[in-house]
Structures are given as C-alpha cells and as structure tokens.
C-alpha cells in the first residue's frame, strides 16, 4: 500500500488532537493549536476561529497571528466577510482572489489586502443542528481550496466543536453554555496578554507565547494561569517573575 505523505501528516495531527480530547485539556490552548495545524496542513498564512453568542454575534476565540486576529476583528466590526457569510448560510465560503470580490465585501477586502492576504476561505462549525461559528483561512497567494483541503479544514472544525462542547451532549442549551464559557476563557487570556505585554515589555504574540510556555511547563491550564495572573494579587508577583525568566534566560 503506497503511503501518501500529506494524508499521513493529516492523520497524525487528527490522532494527536483526539488524544488531547481524551485527557485533561485547555480549550483556548487547544483551539490555538488547531489554528496552527490548519495553517501548516493547508499551506495558508493564517487561520482563526470565530464563535457565535446566543444572539448570533460572532466573537474571535483563537488565531495563529496578531495579523489574523486584527483582520478577524475588523471583519466583525465591518459586519461583512467570509466568516459572517459562512455563519449565516452554514455553508463553506471561498474567495480565491480577494481583489476580484471587492464589490461583495467593500470594507473587508481592502483591509485584508492591506494585511497581505490575497485569498480567504471559511468553513462552518456545527453541532446539534446549530452553526456555532466559522473557521477562517487566509492565504497570501490567490487560489482555491482543493476538495482535499476543504475536507481537512472541515475535519479540524469538527474537532474544534468537540473541544468546545467538552464531551457534553450537543443539545442547544449545552451548546450555548459551552460557547459562553469558551468566550469567557478567551477574555481572561486576552487580559493576561495585555498585562504581560505592558509589564514585561514584549509583543502581544510574545506575551501569549510566554503564557502557553509557562502553563505547559507547569502542567496547568492556560486559562487558569491567565486567571491567576489577573485575579490573584498575592500570587501575581511570583508569576510575573517566573514568566520574566522565560523572556531572557539567565546568562553566565
């Protein structure tokens, strides 16, 4: 039987992610890893997850880069773009050449092009008959997603849904509860990133990397570490000192 390197890589990622779901995991950290795997497997520049609240408004939960985060947030502010269309229709949306669809998304497209992206795609996140949000994919070169790429993206989106629901039966009430918890976790992580950015004088991406590195090194959840940093004033100085050591390892 001939082995396809690309299919093997996809299967390796899926198996590793499912293994994570079978043990204790942090949903924001796992979804961030999912966006990173999306970018690598699909050869796109960036990826991100947007989740809907009970009123149907989308919110950014995870993204590979700050550029992707900013574009996703602009998409929400402008109330247009592939993710919003994908969430509204429940179907994949693809723009192989953003420059050719300016009429469709007159505000989103210029922002995407200015950020260096030339193509944008989105696949839906679904559970219990509900569209939970969308997985966004951004490329720096024009081009369609192949059928294989669409299948990979949808598979990773399904894994994201399972992670968000955390093994609960996908009823409508459970979906709403889990989405609310996921958004709350993201908020505290964003607060911690901003705090570390100012305290340690690092970039936003650097702050997030420090949080993830510290959490993994200590066997703690990313959101638990972020929450300690933002709410436990007695623990905060020690946490900051330990995290500062991750910025500049001691010499000598």
């Amino acid at each position: 039987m001939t082995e396809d390197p690309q299919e093997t890589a996809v299967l390796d990622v899926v198996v590793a992610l499912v293994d994570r779901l079978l043990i204790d995991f942090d949903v924001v950290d796992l979804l961030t890893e999912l966006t990173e795997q999306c970018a690598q497997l699909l050869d796109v520049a960036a990826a991100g997850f947007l989740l809907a609240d009970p009123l149907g408004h989308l919110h950014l939960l995870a993204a590979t880069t700050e550029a992707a985060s900013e574009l996703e947030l602009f998409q929400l502010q402008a109330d247009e773009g592939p993710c919003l269309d994908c969430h509204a229709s429940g179907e994949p949306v693809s723009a192989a050449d953003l420059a050719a669809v300016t009429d469709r998304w007159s505000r989103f497209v210029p922002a995407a092009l200015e950020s260096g992206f030339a193509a944008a795609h989105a696949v839906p996140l679904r559970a219990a008959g509900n569209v939970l949000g969308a997985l966004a994919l951004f490329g720096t070169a024009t081009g369609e997603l192949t059928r294989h790429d669409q299948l990979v993206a949808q598979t990773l989106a399904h894994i994201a849904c399972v992670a968000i629901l955390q093994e609960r039966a996908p009823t409508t009430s459970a979906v709403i509860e889990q989405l609310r918890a996921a958004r709350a976790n993201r908020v505290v992580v964003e607060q911690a990133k901003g705090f570390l950015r100012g305290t340690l004088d690092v970039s936003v991406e650097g702050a997030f990397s420090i949080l993830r590195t510290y959490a993994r090194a200590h066997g703690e959840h990313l959101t638990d570490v972020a929450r300690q940093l933002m709410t436990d004033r007695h623990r905060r100085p020690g946490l900051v000192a330990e995290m500062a050591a991750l910025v500049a390892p001691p010499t000598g």
Side-chain angles (χ1 to χ4, degrees):
M1 191 178 201
T2 304
E3 183 176 292
D4 185 324
Q6 187 177 25
E7 290 186 3
T8 300
V10 172
L11 289 173
D12 285 344
V13 167
V14 170
V15 169
L17 290 170
V18 171
D19 281 346
R20 291 275 302 280
L21 296 177
L22 298 176
I23 60 175
D24 196 28
F25 69 92
D26 183 277
V27 65
V28 174
D29 193 19
L30 183 63
L31 291 184
T32 300
E33 184 176 338
L34 265 169
T35 64
E36 294 167 348
Q37 297 291 359
C38 283
Q40 292 178 16
L41 292 174
L42 303 177
D43 194 24
V44 293
F49 282 107
L50 293 173
L51 295 180
D53 63 21
L55 298 178
H57 301 142
L58 292 174
H59 302 267
L60 177 66
L61 188 62
T64 49
T65 64
E66 283 304 311
S69 297
E70 291 172 2
L71 183 57
E72 294 282 29
L73 292 174
F74 179 84
Q75 183 175 191
L76 298 177
Q77 292 167 354
D79 198 27
E80 64 173 33
C83 282
L84 277 82
D85 287 2
C86 178
H87 177 250
S89 67
E91 299 296 331
V93 172
S94 182
D97 184 356
L98 283 171
V101 294
T102 303
D103 291 343
R104 182 175 183 181
W105 302 311
S106 60
R107 288 163 291 179
F108 170 76
V109 169
L113 295 176
E114 186 176 346
S115 296
F117 299 119
H121 318 277
V123 296
L125 278 66
R126 299 191 192 93
N130 299 296
V131 182
L132 311 187
L135 165 61
L137 305 168
F138 301 107
T140 53
T142 59
E144 295 279 1
L145 289 180
T146 66
R147 174 58 184 160
H148 176 272
D149 289 343
Q150 290 176 359
L151 182 59
V152 171
Q154 195 65 70
T155 298
L156 295 179
H158 288 331
I159 293 175
C161 287
V162 174
I164 293 167
L165 297 174
Q166 298 179 27
E167 299 183 357
R168 294 196 179 189
T171 62
T172 298
S173 59
V175 166
I176 291 174
E177 180 182 347
Q178 293 303 314
L179 290 178
R180 185 180 294 116
R183 289 195 304 273
N185 286 342
R186 180 64 190 189
V187 168
V188 75
V189 169
E190 288 298 318
Q191 291 173 339
K193 284 166 58 178
F195 175 78
L196 286 178
R197 179 187 181 186
T199 304
L200 300 182
D201 191 23
V202 295
S203 67
V204 175
E205 290 183 347
F208 191 43
S209 177
I210 290 168
L211 275 174
R212 292 180 76 190
T213 300
Y214 179 90
R216 291 182 176 185
H218 291 77
E220 297 185 53
H221 283 183
L222 172 69
T223 46
D224 287 343
V225 172
R227 192 169 285 108
Q228 286 181 47
L229 192 63
M230 299 311 300
T231 63
D232 191 338
R233 294 184 178 180
H234 297 292
R235 180 80 177 94
R236 184 183 296 165
L239 280 174
V240 171
E242 292 180 59
M243 292 181 185
L246 299 176
V247 179
T251 58

